[in-house]
Amino acid sequence: MTTRIVLLHGIWMPGAAMGWLAARLAEAGFAPETFGYHGVVGGPDAALPRLVATLARGDAHVLAHSLGGLIALQTLQQHPQLPVQRVVCLGSPLCGSAAAHGLRQRRWTAATLGRSAGLLENGCAAWSGRAQVGAIAGRVPHGLGRLFGHFEGDNDGSVAVAETRLAGLADHVVIAASHSGFLFSAEAVRQAVAFFRDGRFRH
């Protein structure tokens, strides 16, 4: 039976943004399906019930970009019975986002995060759920996040590598990708496929 992979996009992107990654996962023998949601207007609270229904349909892995990773972990924390085996987060600020904090401090940009502001800024608690979670961070600093967050160390232009290192992860790897570049990264796909198959990245 082909393994189902549910893909979650980031805050300002449509579900179609995950199309290239979905195609590569299909080529690798998986059955990808994209979960779309409104990151600004609806936010995590609106997405969560529909995501629960999607994940409850049967065994699945999750591949999530940016905010999508936070929503995935929040959903699994609140609904630990869901049959999700492994989660790969691409550039997700699991420990909280300095860029989101910077955006909220400026009156003219605060509204751009909408109902997702709190989750992006605060991140998740240490992971202790049933699913194995792996995080892929980027070290190519191309992105607008640098204008609003003060990063120390490697970053992908929007999220610092340190912001992706959540306690309780099964594995973590850093690759040469920018925040938006994850969506077209062959290396990100290679690493995600390795984790979905073996529970470990290729180091």
Side-chain angles (χ1 to χ4, degrees):
M1 183 175 179
T2 304
T3 303
R4 186 169 64 115
I5 297 183
V6 177
L7 293 92
L8 279 74
H9 56 85
I11 184 170
W12 297 307
M13 296 182 178
M18 304 297 283
W20 188 90
L21 292 172
R24 303 293 81 74
L25 290 172
E27 290 172 357
F30 296 99
E33 59 180 86
T34 299
F35 176 84
Y37 64 96
H38 296 290
V40 176
V41 178
D45 290 343
L48 195 147
R50 292 193 303 109
L51 182 56
V52 169
T54 296
L55 297 176
R57 295 206 314 264
D59 290 348
H61 299 317
V62 172
L63 179 66
H65 180 240
S66 195
L67 171 65
L70 291 164
I71 292 177
L73 294 197
Q74 182 182 66
T75 300
L76 294 177
Q77 284 174 335
Q78 295 182 20
H79 299 271
Q81 79 284 359
L82 290 170
V84 173
Q85 301 166 26
R86 290 172 179 152
V87 179
V88 172
C89 299
L90 302 175
S92 297
L94 300 177
C95 301
S97 167
H101 177 75
L103 282 166
R104 294 190 79 180
Q105 303 311 303
R106 295 166 172 81
R107 186 183 309 172
W108 57 280
T109 57
T112 61
L113 299 176
R115 297 178 183 272
S116 296
L119 182 58
L120 279 169
E121 186 173 5
N122 298 318
C124 298
W127 179 248
S128 60
R130 183 181 64 178
Q132 288 182 299
V133 179
I136 304 177
R139 61 172 184 270
V140 178
H142 297 160
L144 295 177
R146 294 177 300 160
L147 301 176
F148 304 100
H150 300 287
F151 301 130
E152 295 184 5
D154 288 340
N155 64 87
D156 66 11
S158 292
V159 175
V161 169
E163 294 172 337
T164 68
R165 294 186 184 279
L166 186 69
L169 293 178
D171 205 356
H172 183 280
V173 70
V174 182
I175 68 172
S178 66
H179 196 66
S180 59
F182 278 119
L183 301 176
F184 301 96
S185 170
E187 178 63 10
V189 172
R190 187 178 79 90
Q191 294 288 359
V193 167
F195 190 86
F196 290 143
R197 288 177 174 163
D198 304 324
R200 304 294 295 177
F201 294 123
R202 298 289 180 258
H203 293 279

